[in-house]
Amino acid sequence: MIYEAAFAEDLPVAEQDEVARLRRRDPAAVAGVVGRYRHRLYRYLIRLVREPAAADDLFQQTWLNVVRQIGRYDARRSFDTWLFAIAHNAAMDLLRRQSGESLEEHEYELPAGTADSFSAVMAAERAAILAAEMAQLPALYREALTLRFEEGMKLEEIAEVTHAPLSTVKSRVQRALECLRQNMSARWRKEDLL
């Protein structure tokens, strides 16, 4: 899915007049912005928490927080970055409360060990395998890859969203990609042995 992140259309950022309408709590503006970001934001949240019900709750909580905090939005910043930072904060709070989900940085231990139609089937299969392997990564790694490759954010934007130093974001992306590479290699070797 990361290499096929374009499955959803690119959606424009909120316009300044739309932000002004949000500040006036115009229901049409809220509905418009929610509609514009719903796929991207939900995809980000489901990647992070891996549970549809939790992602639904976080999606709603994020938009409530946007409406409550719109007065704090600095129009010189990217609306995307501000929105995803709100979602990030809500998701991290939830993940901290859940048992079994580590938010610590650590080394991820890996186990040792017709043409168009065909191409489409193979691409879908690779995407499903990649999604399954991504789901096994720690939350911080899933988040870094989702923001970088599915949301197309720059590393500096990810640092702003996650409140992490740029060097940490770079490390997370690099480590996550390495974990995926090693997991995928191990998976292929294992399947070749079967």
Side-chain angles (χ1 to χ4, degrees):
M1 284 193 192
I2 289 176
Y3 61 89
E4 294 185 15
F7 81 92
E9 65 276 1
D10 287 330
L11 301 170
V13 297
E15 300 294 328
Q16 291 307 317
D17 63 324
E18 203 166 35
V19 170
R21 289 176 43 222
L22 281 173
R23 286 189 169 139
R24 291 191 306 267
R25 302 197 191 287
D26 178 352
V30 173
V33 174
V34 169
R36 183 183 288 68
Y37 286 95
R38 77 173 175 256
H39 295 295
R40 291 177 58 200
L41 187 61
Y42 185 78
R43 180 178 61 205
Y44 167 70
L45 291 169
I46 195 75
R47 276 270 189 259
L48 215 48
V49 298
R50 297 181 290 195
E51 295 176 18
D56 289 340
D57 290 345
L58 287 170
F59 183 84
Q60 291 176 18
Q61 182 182 350
T62 297
W63 288 110
L64 286 172
N65 288 337
V66 164
V67 170
R68 289 180 188 137
Q69 298 175 21
I70 192 66
R72 296 183 195 167
Y73 170 65
D74 179 358
R76 293 173 292 175
R77 291 179 55 203
S78 161
F79 185 83
D80 284 16
T81 303
W82 183 74
L83 171 65
F84 279 86
I86 291 173
H88 162 83
N89 292 339
M92 290 300 119
D93 288 345
L94 174 72
L95 290 172
R96 280 185 195 101
R97 289 190 306 265
Q98 290 179 339
S99 61
E101 183 72 60
S102 173
L103 295 178
E104 297 294 318
E105 287 280 333
H106 63 291
E107 289 297 317
Y108 187 55
E109 292 298 319
L110 301 169
T114 71
D116 289 341
S117 297
F118 180 73
S119 295
V121 168
M122 291 304 294
E125 185 175 332
R126 282 192 303 269
I129 291 168
L130 184 58
E133 292 298 333
M134 252 191 81
Q136 301 304 311
L137 294 176
L140 295 175
Y141 289 178
R142 289 192 314 269
E143 177 183 40
L145 291 180
T146 298
L147 290 174
R148 179 70 182 106
F149 296 105
E150 290 185 340
E151 294 307 321
M153 288 188 178
K154 296 176 183 168
L155 296 173
E156 294 81 6
E157 292 173 318
I158 297 169
E160 191 174 335
V161 166
T162 61
H163 312 293
L166 181 59
S167 59
T168 300
V169 170
K170 288 178 182 178
S171 294
R172 287 178 186 167
V173 169
Q174 200 169 22
R175 287 179 185 159
L177 288 172
E178 184 57 32
C179 286
L180 279 178
R181 272 187 220 105
Q182 290 180 12
N183 286 352
M184 297 295 280
S185 293
R187 183 184 196 116
W188 297 132
R189 282 191 305 271
K190 182 179 176 184
E191 288 179 4
D192 285 344
L193 294 175
L194 296 179

